[in-house]
Amino acid sequence: MTISRRALLGAGAACGLLTACGSNTGRGTGGSADGKVTLDHWYHQYGESGTEAAVRRYAAAYGKAKVSVQWRPGNYDQQTAAALLTSSGPDVFEVNGPTLDQIQGGQVADLTALFDGVRDDFNPAVLAPKTYDGRIWGVPQVVDTQFLYYRKSLLRDAGVRPPGSLDELVDAAKALTRNTVKGLFLGNDGGAGVLGGTPLYAAGLSLVTDDGRAGFDDPAAARTLGKLRQLYTDKSLLLGAPSDWSDPSAFVQGLTAMQWSGLWALPAVQKAFGDDFGVLPFPKDGPGGKPSVPVGAYAAAVSTRSKHRAEAEAYVKWLWVERADFQEDFALSYGFHIPARLSLAKKAAKLRQGAAAEVVRLVTEDGYAQPLLWTPTMQSAYQDALSRIIKDGASPDSEMKSVIRKTNDELQRVKKR
């Protein structure tokens, strides 16, 4: 999502990376003393205290197989991409995807059957990029999202309403910039790194259309991105903050009246300000625009190289479809996330009131996820152009025309594979 991870390692480096990880992958021999099969389940290393103990507890509670949890520090995405090319990889693994390469390469199992009777209960925004050719390749675990925090008292004192359009955001940021306080913080690069396609969706566009073409081949794209440049030239943006956008410190310390950050920051913001803050989507722009809220989700996937695919799929269904108690615990007991199941998000006590409830509403009504067909090549071209527009004053129109050409060429290449 706009919430993106590191690029996957190419197949050519697979052997070297596995050697670096050690010859002992931890993979079981396939059985245990009590006759149950052994499944290896890989997770990336979370920074949230208690998460590792929790996933080990979930695994221990499964009665139909012995589940060995591996907590993998370092560059997890590269480790996993390399391991999937071998017979020594995981049976079940957490993935920021699966990627199109993994799906088209036959590395991940089709998990569509696991959703029988419950597919409509999964947040459609995060389920969409797990879906290809009508089949589902990963089970979303939680929903993470980004949005705009604002100080109610600072806006009130300045006579500024919470912005409902991008023009209003530009005006509000300028009006709120006073003395040592800046109006808005979008990251130390002015928003080029974190915003991604969010402004395009706010203009009523998309990154990739349903028929597989660049979804921003429209004058509205240049118009909207030009307004991000205006924020920069107005000197309304906080730049050079001690911590970047993902940390709410700049907002909490009063360096900015509004900040773009994530749901994970909400407990710290609430502790600092009580009820003196609100949350907003990225505001709509233009007559065809709509509020935009980027979302993303790690998923549980099954390797096609697993010697126990049926057992692995049964375990994934048990943990991420059937065990609602574990799913809610994973989302809200060790950090602050939204369960991927709509029914769980609706009833979870920590999400039923205040700003948290508003975020759930925004995600449900306005959430979008980076599409599966949006490859790292497209992302790099777009993000470089966005940086030139915001920081260097490059022409939004010419920059977008170039990105559109590159995107359509890349989409043609991807569809021919």
Side-chain angles (χ1 to χ4, degrees):
M1 113 182 170
T2 346
I3 311 169
S4 60
R5 299 285 175 174
R6 298 167 295 279
L8 290 169
L9 180 68
C15 295
L17 180 60
L18 286 178
T19 302
C21 293
S23 58
N24 179 14
T25 66
R27 188 179 180 88
T29 58
S32 58
D34 57 6
K36 297 178 180 178
V37 302
T38 297
L39 301 175
D40 279 335
H41 189 171
W42 287 17
Y43 289 88
H44 84 284
Q45 184 178 29
Y46 284 75
E48 299 162 340
S49 177
T51 308
E52 181 179 2
V55 298
R56 294 188 185 280
R57 175 167 52 85
Y58 307 156
Y62 188 58
K64 296 182 179 180
K66 177 179 174 58
V67 181
S68 174
V69 169
Q70 287 203 41
W71 197 250
R72 314 273 306 182
N75 197 326
Y76 175 83
D77 291 347
Q78 290 189 359
Q79 293 177 30
T80 306
L84 291 177
L85 301 175
T86 78
S87 59
S88 300
D91 298 288
V92 178
F93 61 101
E94 188 178 53
V95 62
N96 185 39
T99 67
L100 188 61
D101 284 345
Q102 290 167 342
I103 295 170
Q104 291 181 329
Q107 297 172 7
V108 292
D110 176 0
L111 302 183
T112 308
L114 275 56
F115 291 82
D116 286 351
V118 296
R119 182 168 181 166
D120 290 345
D121 193 38
F122 278 83
N123 186 298
V126 292
L127 192 59
K130 319 298 181 192
T131 306
Y132 182 70
D133 276 349
R135 315 301 293 172
I136 305 174
W137 305 89
V139 182
Q141 297 174 171
V142 296
V143 179
D144 281 312
T145 186
Q146 301 164 18
F147 47 86
L148 195 66
Y149 289 91
Y150 69 94
R151 283 286 301 278
K152 293 179 179 178
S153 58
L154 294 182
L155 269 67
R156 183 175 61 247
D157 292 347
V160 173
R161 296 184 304 174
S165 70
L166 184 53
D167 288 330
E168 290 178 3
L169 179 64
V170 172
D171 292 343
K174 190 172 184 178
L176 291 164
T177 298
R178 299 179 174 185
N179 300 320
T180 59
V181 179
K182 289 291 187 177
L184 177 62
F185 185 39
L186 296 175
N188 284 324
D189 61 358
V194 64
L195 290 180
T198 300
L200 300 178
Y201 283 84
L205 307 175
S206 65
L207 291 172
V208 179
T209 62
D210 291 340
D211 61 353
R213 294 189 59 80
F216 47 96
D217 189 359
D218 189 293
R223 179 200 67 210
T224 296
L225 299 184
K227 294 177 183 180
L228 301 181
R229 169 64 179 176
Q230 185 178 344
L231 282 165
Y232 191 88
T233 56
D234 281 349
K235 300 188 184 303
S236 302
L237 297 179
L238 174 64
L239 302 171
S243 299
D244 215 340
W245 67 271
S246 61
D247 188 323
S249 297
F251 186 62
V252 169
Q253 293 170 10
L255 302 179
T256 181
M258 300 182 289
Q259 177 175 335
W260 186 260
S261 192
L263 179 60
W264 55 85
L266 195 148
V269 172
Q270 197 154 37
K271 182 179 180 181
F273 297 130
D275 293 332
D276 186 24
F277 78 97
V279 296
L280 293 169
F282 192 91
K284 65 182 179 180
D285 186 47
K290 59 181 181 180
S292 178
V293 180
V295 298
Y298 266 92
V302 173
S303 170
T304 54
R305 290 182 177 266
S306 171
K307 297 177 181 178
H308 306 290
R309 275 181 60 177
E311 292 87 349
E313 291 175 20
Y315 164 64
V316 168
K317 182 176 182 179
W318 172 83
L319 179 54
W320 295 115
V321 177
E322 297 174 354
R323 288 302 301 256
D325 54 341
F326 287 165
Q327 293 158 36
E328 184 174 342
D329 180 68
F330 185 76
L332 291 163
S333 295
Y334 316 101
F336 209 68
H337 314 270
I338 301 173
R341 301 283 293 276
L342 297 173
S343 58
L344 295 182
K346 184 177 181 180
K347 75 176 186 179
K350 292 182 179 181
L351 300 174
R352 293 184 66 180
Q353 57 185 344
E358 177 65 5
V359 172
V360 172
R361 184 188 70 80
L362 294 177
V363 166
T364 303
E365 296 180 2
D366 303 316
Y368 87 91
Q370 189 166 287
L372 181 62
L373 291 178
W374 186 249
T375 68
T377 297
M378 303 174 206
Q379 173 74 8
S380 178
Y382 171 75
Q383 199 153 309
D384 289 347
L386 186 57
S387 180
R388 290 190 291 269
I389 292 168
I390 293 174
K391 300 174 70 174
D392 302 333
S395 165
D397 184 62
S398 61
E399 290 289 340
M400 283 300 97
K401 285 180 179 177
S402 176
V403 177
I404 289 165
R405 286 194 299 270
K406 293 176 182 177
T407 298
N408 283 331
D409 287 346
E410 175 72 355
L411 285 168
Q412 287 299 314
R413 183 190 68 80
V414 167
K415 289 188 289 185
K416 288 179 181 178
R417 288 191 303 201

